[in-house]
Amino acid sequence: MKLNDIIKIIEASYPLYIQEPYDNSGLIIGDKEANINGILIALDLNNDVIKEAIKNNCNLIITHHPFIFNNIKKLEAGDELFDKLNLIFKNEINVYSSHTPMDKSFNGINIALAERLNLKNIQILYPENNLLCKLVTFCPLNYADKVRESLFNAGAGVIGNYDCCSYNVQGLGSFRAGDDTNPFVGKKGEIHYEPETRIETIFPKWLTNDIISALLYSHPYEEVAYDIYQLENTHPKVGLGAVGNLNNEMEVYDFLTFVKDIFKLPTLRYSYVENIKKIHKVALCSGSGADILPIAINQKADAYLTADIKYHDFQKAHNKILLLDIGHYESEIIFVEKMYDYLSKKIPNFAIQKSENSYSFINFF
């Protein structure tokens, strides 16, 4: 299987378009035309993971964290990065990372964490806007079904948990074909009036090229009239974090114990709360999510789980919300399982493995 085909499968659910500006997700090292023998999935790219891939004949490693994040100013033998790159190039290994696209997708890490906590009514905590567009086009009445079906198959018409969404109204279109044309209806040099259907539908911005291609392929006209509008709507399925409700309220101490057991934590840092008696609404964000602590507070969550929390973050949460630091590794190691399950369903009977060398770099005494 070609690497490019695997990338398309990954980015169908975790598009690079939604990654954060600071991120470096995507193909880090590789040849899109390479034939892939096997895939190894890991949280980070360390030397043990690379050696594991070589041993298991996996020439594609997929990680959550991009191992090249900032500009490289120099490479010298003996440096950690040089040694990694040397090992990768010598063994013709391809490396792909899905970092914030996996964090922000509704099929990604944060929703998986919420499900692990058995939360109900799960939603994105901080959904993103300006990611949606509207397409308006016009076609002959008896071609409307074909055009709509083509657009829907390309990914248009999805609103929340509904698909095949469109608005349609009939009207009369006019045009005059020029000398160098081959009109589907009407005659050259004459104004023609054609009963048409106006089709409006919504689509995510990163699918623009696919949507236009589907429209042009299915539409009978030589020149297809269409408009694309940028929408300010919030995308309910893309954004940071997740929020949901516990089936039953829990005492603070019971909830702390529950979280500690779920994530197998040797210790758990949390904020002081005096006025929160029960935990019902829970918000979370994998990795370093202190920046959206105010969002969790504004949404009146009783508890907020994230990682890399600083002293002053706990201060901001004091007596407002139960803030828990569950650890960066502990909040993101679920990536390996999530990506493995996703790819195993999309490409069954393919050699996909979960790395045995994804580990935390933090120890506890």
Side-chain angles (χ1 to χ4, degrees), residues 113 116-118 256-265:
L113 288 176
R116 180 161 289 185
L117 289 167
N118 296 317
L256 292 173
T257 303
F258 171 67
V259 170
K260 195 174 179 182
D261 290 343
I262 287 287
F263 295 103
K264 298 179 174 60
L265 304 174

Side-chain angles (χ1 to χ4, degrees), residues 17 126-135 158-160 201-206 229-239:
Y17 188 88
Y126 188 29
E128 200 162 318
N129 54 16
N130 296 314
L131 291 177
L132 294 168
C133 295
K134 174 170 283 190
L135 170 73
V158 178
I159 301 177
T201 190
I202 199 169
F203 66 91
K205 194 172 183 179
W206 58 87
Y229 303 96
Q230 172 77 49
L231 301 180
E232 295 184 0
N233 302 44
T234 295
H235 196 310
K237 300 290 186 182
V238 176

Side-chain angles (χ1 to χ4, degrees), residues 145-363:
D145 287 341
K146 181 179 180 180
V147 171
R148 276 193 299 266
E149 182 180 3
S150 182
L151 294 172
F152 295 155
N153 288 339
V158 178
I159 301 177
N161 293 322
Y162 291 79
D163 62 10
C164 299
C165 301
S166 68
Y167 183 75
N168 304 268
V169 62
Q170 294 183 8
L172 196 64
S174 69
F175 51 84
R176 180 166 56 192
D179 292 338
D180 297 326
T181 63
N182 182 27
F184 178 74
V185 289
K187 297 179 180 180
K188 295 180 182 180
E190 297 181 4
I191 296 179
H192 177 79
Y193 294 90
E194 180 71 20
E196 294 178 334
T197 298
R198 173 189 171 108
I199 301 172
E200 297 184 21
T201 190
I202 199 169
F203 66 91
K205 194 172 183 179
W206 58 87
L207 291 181
T208 299
N209 291 337
D210 293 338
I211 297 301
I212 294 174
S213 295
L215 172 63
L216 298 181
Y217 177 78
S218 59
H219 201 293
Y221 285 176
E222 187 176 34
E223 294 287 351
V224 180
Y226 65 90
D227 303 314
I228 293 178
Y229 303 96
Q230 172 77 49
L231 301 180
E232 295 184 0
N233 302 44
T234 295
H235 196 310
K237 300 290 186 182
V238 176
L240 294 169
V243 61
N245 300 319
L246 293 168
N247 268 335
N248 299 298
E249 292 182 339
M250 299 177 70
E251 300 284 348
V252 171
Y253 178 79
D254 292 336
F255 181 72
L256 292 173
T257 303
F258 171 67
V259 170
K260 195 174 179 182
D261 290 343
I262 287 287
F263 295 103
K264 298 179 174 60
L265 304 174
T267 186
L268 177 60
R269 298 194 303 153
Y270 64 95
S271 63
Y272 176 79
V273 285
E274 184 178 12
N275 55 352
I276 299 177
K277 305 300 181 184
K278 301 275 189 178
I279 304 298
H280 178 58
K281 189 173 184 179
V282 178
L284 58 89
C285 183
S286 63
S288 305
D291 288 348
I292 59 172
L293 169 62
I295 305 297
I297 294 173
N298 290 340
Q299 292 203 20
K300 302 189 184 306
D302 301 311
Y304 179 52
L305 287 65
T306 189
D308 304 334
I309 301 172
K310 298 178 181 179
Y311 173 84
H312 292 293
D313 298 323
F314 283 112
Q315 189 178 43
K316 292 174 186 176
H318 183 75
N319 266 338
K320 295 177 183 176
I321 193 170
L322 179 64
L323 177 61
L324 295 80
D325 190 333
I326 63 173
H328 200 115
Y329 167 86
E330 289 79 5
S331 72
E332 293 189 334
I333 186 59
I334 199 171
F335 164 85
V336 176
E337 179 182 331
K338 187 69 182 177
M339 182 61 79
Y340 175 84
D341 290 344
Y342 174 74
L343 289 178
S344 295
K345 290 176 182 176
K346 294 294 182 179
I347 11 177
N349 304 318
F350 195 80
I352 305 172
Q353 301 176 42
K354 293 183 278 188
S355 174
E356 298 177 356
N357 289 286
S358 291
Y359 45 74
S360 175
F361 294 91
I362 298 175
N363 295 307

Side-chain angles (χ1 to χ4, degrees), residues 21-25 28 66-75 81 85:
Y22 64 82
D23 198 7
N24 191 35
S25 288
I28 308 297
F67 86 102
I68 297 178
F69 219 99
N70 301 310
N71 293 333
I72 300 173
K73 295 185 177 180
K74 62 180 181 178
L75 289 169
L81 181 56
L85 291 172

